[in-house]
Amino acid sequence: MAVKKLRPIRWNGGIVYLLEQRDLPFHEKWVKCDTVEKVAKAIEEMTVRGAPAIGITAAYGVALGAVRSKNKNASVFEKEVKKAISRLRRTRPTAVNLFWALDRMEECLKAVSVLPIAEQKRALEKEAIDIHLEDEALCNRLGEHGGRLLEKAKNVLTHCNTGALATGGDGTALAAITHAARKNKKLHVWVDETRPYLQGARLTAYEVAHAGIDFHLITDNMAASLMKQKKVDAIIVGADRIVANGDTANKIGTYALAVMAKAHGIPFYVSAPTTTLDLIKKNGDEIEIEQRNPKEVTHPQGIAIAKESYPVYNPAFDVTPGKLITAIILETGVCRSPYQKSLRQALATAKKESM
Amino acid sequence: MAVKKLRPIRWNGGIVYLLEQRDLPFHEKWVKCDTVEKVAKAIEEMTVRGAPAIGITAAYGVALGAVRSKNKNASVFEKEVKKAISRLRRTRPTAVNLFWALDRMEECLKAVSVLPIAEQKRALEKEAIDIHLEDEALCNRLGEHGGRLLEKAKNVLTHCNTGALATGGDGTALAAITHAARKNKKLHVWVDETRPYLQGARLTAYEVAHAGIDFHLITDNMAASLMKQKKVDAIIVGADRIVANGDTANKIGTYALAVMAKAHGIPFYVSAPTTTLDLIKKNGDEIEIEQRNPKEVTHPQGIAIAKESYPVYNPAFDVTPGKLITAIILETGVCRSPYQKSLRQALATAKKESM
């Protein structure tokens, strides 16, 4: 099956083009960013979202600032690029990948500062492209490992958004689905809407439709009934944080799916890069859960479905115990229980590879 | 605790007043119906919804047609009332309670047809009021039986809308909550929004807030996480149909809650009148599940969250196996497993009572 790739971040001749994610799935509008400020605004205003995608966009923002600079004086040029980096740093204060990418661009700048400006520009452009390509390669590895687990599945269920819109490649959990779909043209996906923020309905359905994979959109509370009817062969989700025993924090609703998968004997997979591993934490009790704005619940897409004055409980994440997870797919391979051992080994492998 | 009663259907001096449910929870607007046509339109256009509430409103519609008639000729009067009945019959073609209530009004008309018109009017008015009061008493019995099961609970979770807005009294499952809240002022309710049609967010939250009971609104996929944190002591839901082995069809999402309740050792209760029993069906496999309009999923409250062209799966109900149900609360009392026996006995008791 020819699965169409989606690439929402594009670098072309010193300009960053971003697919306006706030207009999805209704309009495919490209935002042209030809200044650092436009890139910063696009990150702040969520034209682009998803941790890896934000990091890649910020790196391109630095490259853009360098490449388009008209300064001929080396120290003024350096100041200008540093100013671009600090502007981009102020866009999303809690985005780990953002700082990681900007630190890397800053290190690159430092490393090439003795070279002529033209070469510095080339180096910074190459560094940003590398960050993007590395993430694409990471997604491919996640997709290959995960895809093998889904090759025989007819119906796969996924939650939240883990595809091309959030990363530099095919995504994490969704990469497994797109990779499996290339070999298994009968693959069908159940995309749950993922309340409260509707990432499934707004973004994953768009990604799956764009890829040309057969799917149905469902509300979150329909999954159990499908499992009972034997219409779900596997579930695959992403992760925000995975601790030593495999306990996994991910978008609210993940734990419910894992409990139901267990009750129905359905494999439950998590796919994430090794950067998601936080092995200093022993178990999920140590993960703090962020409470989010009640209006996400009472006003989906800004439209009131309940009174704003109603008390609301709105946790961003829940924690799925490692013992409910059939396998954790990392770019280094597939980890299984006991996770204390397999995740430590995977992290050691990843560190060795990156040296 | 003083739990405030909600009565959305009122009969006063030959006029039916209906709380406009389509404007809830944002506006409390009363619709004044002083003609049969206005009552019919209110049912058709869903100013009033919920099977028992529709039946009661239709009965008042017949009473209204009779009481406000200016005809002095007995046979013309009879024709006029019959015309009202047939107009009301055409409002909601699949509403069982509607036909039941109208049949009862027609029988009443027949029984009193030899009396003077003034007495016929009084009899028809009394019959409609009786239908309303009987439903209120039924709700009270459900509330008393169910309330006892919830008296010691701190946190009760409920799904969909089962309260005063759907019935002539305190409701079915929600009646258990309001009854328990009168004795247990610390009772707190988790109201799930109940996608796709949002009956929980729009109606149940309004009912619980109106009653003055402490609550939080959640999305459906948050329930499991609350159970894991031991923040749910009991779950209670209504039913659309209960078959011989206790298998229960109810709003989509009910089965998921039952599976999670089982996994967390939490009691799972169903509350419904004996008219919901369909004991000719042996098990849930015999229950046909209605598929509903995909736009309920893609366009909650009419606002697009996904493309209208996306394929959608939207079953109205799911079936919860009797073996996952701790107890079924009927107006005759609390039934427990084996349901084959307890439900048959309950139905026999109910039939005896109604003779």
Side-chain angles (χ1 to χ4, degrees):
Chain A
M1 181 184 179
V3 171
K4 208 173 143 199
K5 279 184 194 262
L6 176 66
R7 290 294 176 265
I9 309 167
R10 291 179 189 171
W11 170 257
N12 195 344
I15 297 172
V16 184
Y17 295 90
L18 297 169
L19 183 59
E20 177 56 84
Q21 298 200 20
R22 291 172 301 174
D23 288 353
L24 293 179
F26 309 106
H27 306 287
E28 292 179 4
K29 185 182 133 192
W30 287 88
V31 176
K32 180 181 173 180
C33 302
D34 52 10
T35 65
V36 174
E37 186 55 30
K38 282 184 190 168
V39 176
K41 279 263 183 297
I43 297 173
E44 278 169 357
E45 292 168 1
M46 311 245 281
T47 291
V48 61
R49 28 73 50 206
I54 288 171
I56 292 159
T57 304
Y60 279 135
V62 178
L64 183 153
V67 168
R68 297 180 79 86
S69 170
K70 295 199 164 48
N71 275 305
K72 303 291 179 198
N73 175 299
S75 82
V76 181
F77 172 79
E78 188 186 328
K79 265 186 200 155
E80 197 184 354
V81 177
K82 281 191 172 167
K83 203 179 141 196
I85 292 172
S86 61
R87 171 67 187 94
L88 289 159
R89 259 188 221 287
R90 291 195 306 273
T91 50
R92 294 284 300 270
T94 58
V96 176
N97 287 57
L98 172 73
F99 300 118
W100 170 86
L102 291 173
D103 286 348
R104 194 164 144 183
M105 293 303 286
E106 197 157 5
E107 275 166 39
C108 173
L109 176 68
K110 210 167 149 187
V112 298
S113 62
V114 292
L115 301 179
I117 289 179
E119 283 185 41
Q120 288 193 46
K121 287 181 179 181
R122 270 196 293 278
L124 286 164
E125 181 177 13
K126 184 181 178 296
E127 190 71 5
I129 292 171
D130 280 353
I131 286 173
H132 194 170
L133 289 176
E134 286 166 24
D135 196 66
E136 188 167 23
L138 176 83
C139 292
N140 275 335
R141 292 176 69 182
L142 288 171
E144 277 165 28
H145 298 311
R148 271 194 292 275
L149 297 174
L150 302 182
E151 265 169 30
K152 288 181 183 160
K154 278 185 200 145
N155 292 289
V156 178
L157 189 147
T158 189
H159 186 59
C160 201
N161 179 246
T162 62
L165 293 171
T167 63
D170 287 344
T172 57
L174 203 70
I177 291 174
T178 50
H179 278 248
R182 286 192 193 106
K183 297 189 180 168
N184 169 5
K185 62 183 178 182
K186 286 193 177 163
L187 192 78
H188 169 268
V189 186
W190 298 109
V191 175
D192 76 22
E193 63 176 4
T194 317
R195 279 284 283 147
Y197 207 57
L198 297 165
Q199 291 93 336
R202 293 188 295 112
L203 305 173
T204 305
Y206 173 81
E207 288 172 340
V208 174
H210 184 277
I213 300 169
D214 189 22
F215 77 102
H216 278 82
L217 179 64
I218 58 170
T219 62
D220 301 273
N221 61 12
M222 292 171 186
S225 167
L226 290 168
M227 293 185 212
K228 185 165 168 255
Q229 296 169 64
K230 300 191 190 303
K231 288 180 180 168
V232 181
D233 302 312
I235 299 173
I236 188 161
V237 299
D240 276 82
R241 195 181 289 258
I242 302 170
V243 300
N245 68 345
D247 288 2
T248 295
N250 190 45
K251 188 62 57 201
I252 188 72
T254 301
Y255 171 62
L257 291 173
V259 170
M260 294 184 289
K262 183 79 170 179
H264 295 87
I266 296 166
F268 184 87
Y269 302 118
V270 169
S271 173
T274 49
T275 49
T276 310
L277 297 176
D278 180 4
L279 304 189
I280 294 165
K281 291 193 170 67
K282 279 183 195 159
N283 64 57
D285 296 340
E286 297 176 43
I287 303 174
E288 206 192 328
I289 301 296
E290 171 196 359
Q291 289 289 325
R292 293 187 54 82
N293 191 332
K295 283 192 84 168
E296 287 182 0
V297 173
T298 56
H299 291 66
Q301 297 291 83
I303 304 305
I305 59 162
K307 280 193 188 174
E308 204 175 332
S309 60
Y310 286 166
V312 164
Y313 173 71
N314 185 17
F317 307 112
D318 57 27
V319 176
T320 299
K323 65 180 181 209
L324 295 183
I325 300 171
T326 311
I328 296 175
I329 302 147
L330 302 166
E331 72 274 21
T332 51
V334 175
C335 294
R336 296 191 185 256
S337 180
Y339 290 115
Q340 278 89 350
K341 195 178 162 197
S342 60
L343 294 177
R344 216 166 44 225
Q345 283 173 344
L347 193 59
T349 306
K351 278 186 179 155
K352 214 178 291 172
E353 281 180 4
S354 71
M355 276 177 194
Chain B
M1 179 182 180
V3 172
K4 207 172 141 199
K5 279 183 192 261
L6 176 66
R7 291 293 176 266
I9 309 167
R10 291 178 189 170
W11 170 256
N12 194 345
I15 297 172
V16 183
Y17 294 90
L18 297 170
L19 184 58
E20 176 55 83
Q21 299 200 20
R22 290 172 301 174
D23 288 353
L24 293 180
F26 309 106
H27 306 287
E28 292 179 5
K29 185 182 132 192
W30 288 87
V31 176
K32 181 181 172 179
C33 302
D34 53 9
T35 65
V36 173
E37 186 56 29
K38 283 183 189 169
V39 175
K41 279 262 183 295
I43 296 172
E44 276 169 357
E45 292 168 4
M46 311 246 280
T47 292
V48 61
R49 27 74 48 209
I54 289 171
I56 293 160
T57 304
Y60 280 135
V62 178
L64 184 154
V67 167
R68 297 180 77 87
S69 168
K70 293 198 165 51
N71 276 306
K72 304 290 180 198
N73 176 298
S75 83
V76 182
F77 171 80
E78 188 186 326
K79 263 186 201 157
E80 195 182 357
V81 176
K82 281 191 172 168
K83 202 179 145 197
I85 292 172
S86 62
R87 171 67 187 94
L88 289 159
R89 258 188 222 287
R90 291 195 307 271
T91 52
R92 294 284 302 271
T94 59
V96 176
N97 287 57
L98 172 73
F99 300 118
W100 171 85
L102 291 172
D103 286 348
R104 196 164 140 182
M105 292 304 286
E106 196 157 6
E107 274 165 40
C108 173
L109 176 68
K110 210 168 151 188
V112 298
S113 61
V114 292
L115 300 180
I117 289 177
E119 282 184 44
Q120 288 192 46
K121 287 181 179 182
R122 269 196 294 278
L124 287 163
E125 180 177 14
K126 185 179 177 300
E127 191 73 3
I129 293 171
D130 280 352
I131 287 174
H132 194 171
L133 290 176
E134 285 165 25
D135 196 64
E136 188 168 22
L138 176 82
C139 291
N140 275 335
R141 291 175 72 182
L142 289 171
E144 277 165 29
H145 298 311
R148 272 194 292 275
L149 298 173
L150 302 181
E151 265 170 31
K152 287 181 184 160
K154 277 185 200 144
N155 292 289
V156 178
L157 190 148
T158 189
H159 185 61
C160 202
N161 179 245
T162 62
L165 292 172
T167 62
D170 287 343
T172 56
L174 204 69
I177 290 175
T178 49
H179 277 247
R182 286 192 192 107
K183 298 190 180 168
N184 169 5
K185 63 182 177 185
K186 287 192 175 163
L187 192 79
H188 169 268
V189 186
W190 297 109
V191 175
D192 76 22
E193 64 177 6
T194 317
R195 280 284 282 146
Y197 207 57
L198 297 165
Q199 292 93 336
R202 294 188 295 111
L203 305 174
T204 305
Y206 173 81
E207 289 173 339
V208 174
H210 184 276
I213 301 170
D214 189 23
F215 77 102
H216 278 82
L217 179 64
I218 59 171
T219 62
D220 302 272
N221 61 11
M222 292 172 186
S225 168
L226 290 168
M227 293 185 212
K228 186 164 167 256
Q229 297 169 63
K230 301 192 189 302
K231 289 180 179 167
V232 181
D233 303 311
I235 299 172
I236 188 160
V237 300
D240 277 81
R241 194 180 290 257
I242 302 170
V243 301
N245 67 346
D247 288 3
T248 295
N250 190 44
K251 188 62 57 198
I252 187 75
T254 301
Y255 171 62
L257 291 173
V259 170
M260 296 185 285
K262 184 78 171 183
H264 294 87
I266 296 166
F268 184 88
Y269 302 118
V270 169
S271 174
T274 49
T275 48
T276 311
L277 297 176
D278 180 4
L279 304 189
I280 293 164
K281 291 192 170 64
K282 278 184 195 159
N283 63 57
D285 297 340
E286 296 175 45
I287 303 174
E288 205 192 330
I289 302 295
E290 172 196 357
Q291 290 288 325
R292 293 186 55 81
N293 191 333
K295 283 193 85 169
E296 288 182 359
V297 173
T298 57
H299 291 65
Q301 298 290 85
I303 304 303
I305 58 163
K307 280 194 190 172
E308 203 174 332
S309 60
Y310 286 167
V312 164
Y313 173 71
N314 185 19
F317 307 111
D318 57 27
V319 176
T320 299
K323 64 180 181 209
L324 295 182
I325 300 171
T326 311
I328 296 174
I329 302 149
L330 302 166
E331 74 273 20
T332 50
V334 175
C335 293
R336 296 191 185 257
S337 180
Y339 290 116
Q340 279 87 350
K341 195 180 162 195
S342 60
L343 294 177
R344 216 168 42 226
Q345 282 173 344
L347 193 60
T349 305
K351 278 187 180 153
K352 215 179 290 171
E353 281 180 4
S354 70
M355 273 175 194

